Amino acid sequence: MHDIKINSVTGSEIITTQDVKDFVRIDTSADDTLIGRIIATSRLWCENYIGKDIVAKNRTFYLKEVDDRFTLPFSPIASISSVTSEDIAVSYNSYGLDDTIIELKSLPAKEVKVTYVTTGLSDDLVKNALLNLAATYYDNRADFKTGETISEIPTDTKNILQGFKTMYI
């Protein structure tokens, strides 16, 4: 069993309210608060879809059953603050791109907690995916519209993000 907790968000959104307004062609400030919420919702959906942080965060990853090697979710990893078992430091090595693979030097008897910071992504493709999704959420902000078809997550958004996607089981 594993669990993950966001301790704090250390980064900021990579698209702005003005970016969305320009993309959707909105000339008024009446929906700025709504657009801000849509940006956060779009980012969260995209982060969960690709399994990586778009906005930098401080996280704790908990593993009840531990092998000597495991991968940290929601990379890229900026730094690893601690690897502990029952609040006692555990020796480890980190490998892979962005130090996402943790190899314990000795297997602890109990669960392991890893506290780490992610860097987030600011790639132009990710920004475009967020804009596509935010536009879809803005256009479909009600459950239904009489006489109109409601769009699902845009295929373009999924296609753009596919190269960034990481699967964790």
Side-chain angles (χ1 to χ4, degrees), residues 124-142:
D124 284 339
L125 287 172
V126 175
K127 289 178 184 179
N128 194 36
L130 286 169
L131 289 169
N132 275 305
L133 188 54
T136 298
Y137 283 159
Y138 184 81
D139 289 341
N140 297 286
R141 56 192 177 271

Side-chain angles (χ1 to χ4, degrees), residues 68-146:
D68 63 341
R69 184 181 291 190
F70 55 90
T71 302
L72 295 173
F74 291 96
S75 62
I77 308 300
S79 63
I80 298 170
S81 306
S82 67
V83 179
T84 61
S85 177
E86 295 185 323
D87 296 326
I88 298 171
V90 175
S91 297
Y92 69 94
N93 291 319
S94 57
Y95 301 99
L97 297 174
D98 302 316
D99 291 329
T100 57
I101 301 168
I102 301 294
E103 183 177 72
L104 302 175
K105 292 184 178 179
S106 62
L107 200 57
K110 298 282 184 179
E111 71 278 347
V112 170
K113 289 181 187 176
V114 181
T115 302
Y116 61 101
V117 177
T118 60
T119 61
L121 301 172
S122 62
D123 188 281
D124 284 339
L125 287 172
V126 175
K127 289 178 184 179
N128 194 36
L130 286 169
L131 289 169
N132 275 305
L133 188 54
T136 298
Y137 283 159
Y138 184 81
D139 289 341
N140 297 286
R141 56 192 177 271
D143 287 341
F144 65 90
K145 294 180 183 180
T146 305

Side-chain angles (χ1 to χ4, degrees), residues 32-48:
D32 284 4
T33 301
L34 172 65
I35 292 168
R37 287 193 305 264
I38 286 172
I39 289 169
T41 301
S42 299
R43 181 204 16 102
L44 287 169
W45 186 91
C46 290
E47 285 177 335
N48 287 322

